[in-house]
Amino acid sequence: SEAKDTLEENSFTLGVGTTVYPQGMFLSGAFTVVSTATDNVTAITDTLLVEAALPLRHRLNAAWFMSRSTQRQLEALDTTGYYFKRAGQQFAAESTILGPGNATGNTGTQLLGYPIWEVPSAVSTLTTDAAVIAVLGDPKNYVVVDRIGMNVEVVPTMLNGATPSFPTGQRGIYCYWRSTARALNVDGMRQLDVN
């Protein structure tokens, strides 16, 4: 089940969205793209561009999605303490921060007042051209469809795959399940893309 969870997280993050593959949240163009202001450079102020580009109706329940590495790199760029807030802390200029002020995400941190959710498979290279490094928006605009359950079958005799195949003396298990994911509203979230 851990292998299934890891594979699904990777597919829902980076999936190509064709044939049987889910559409990943970080697939370029899955949502409206906002590029960094400078070529091959990400500045902490680029997060303001992403928030400004997100329509107001999608900000109420918005959250950030990024890798922990991206979060740490952006935190290092925040030399003023203005952008990030941890559970129990106040922003340096709390009255000037716009954002819904909702509960913290699974990282316990907020960026511009929006919770941050960790996405381990997301790209974390802040200087690579065309890399989607973060997504901001209402998660209701991205749907995961999962048929409940996973089928597991025992394979009593594994074969070596040669022609003709011979038994290897091993047993195996074969697991399968059905799930997919897709962006419902391209305008409902914004991707931060390195220009």
Side-chain angles (χ1 to χ4, degrees):
S1 106
E2 182 181 350
K4 174 186 180 286
D5 291 344
T6 300
L7 178 63
E8 284 185 331
E9 183 276 325
N10 183 272
S11 294
F12 298 158
T13 303
L14 304 172
V16 295
T18 58
T19 63
V20 298
Y21 299 101
Q23 181 182 33
M25 182 182 281
F26 284 73
L27 178 67
S28 184
F31 295 105
T32 305
V33 174
V34 176
S35 295
T36 57
T38 308
D39 287 350
N40 299 325
V41 174
T42 302
I44 190 67
T45 53
D46 290 323
T47 61
L48 296 171
L49 300 174
V50 176
E51 182 193 32
L54 185 65
L56 186 59
R57 67 185 175 279
H58 298 298
R59 290 186 201 164
L60 180 61
N61 297 311
W64 286 98
F65 300 89
M66 64 183 72
S67 71
R68 186 63 66 123
S69 175
T70 297
Q71 178 185 340
R72 295 294 182 239
Q73 291 176 69
L74 290 173
E75 285 175 349
L77 297 174
D78 181 15
T79 57
T80 64
Y82 174 85
Y83 296 87
F84 285 92
K85 174 183 175 182
R86 288 196 174 43
Q89 293 179 341
Q90 297 296 315
F91 284 107
E94 183 76 32
S95 63
T96 63
I97 296 293
L98 298 177
N102 54 2
T104 59
N106 75 339
T107 64
T109 308
Q110 293 180 348
L111 172 55
L112 300 177
Y114 303 97
I116 300 174
W117 290 88
E118 182 178 2
V119 182
S121 295
V123 176
S124 61
T125 51
L126 275 56
T127 57
T128 301
D129 190 37
V132 176
I133 57 171
V135 176
L136 171 67
D138 188 342
K140 288 187 263 181
N141 292 297
Y142 184 76
V143 67
V144 173
V145 179
D146 192 5
R147 180 176 173 253
I148 301 298
M150 176 173 72
N151 295 329
V152 179
E153 297 178 9
V154 175
V155 180
T157 304
M158 299 295 292
L159 302 175
N160 66 0
T163 305
S165 285
F166 296 102
T168 64
Q170 298 171 317
R171 293 179 181 258
I173 59 171
Y174 178 69
C175 303
Y176 59 96
W177 68 93
R178 292 176 184 229
S179 64
T180 192
R182 184 149 313 276
L184 291 180
N185 180 2
V186 174
D187 196 47
M189 298 180 94
R190 292 294 183 269
Q191 295 176 325
L192 177 56
D193 173 89
V194 180
N195 191 5

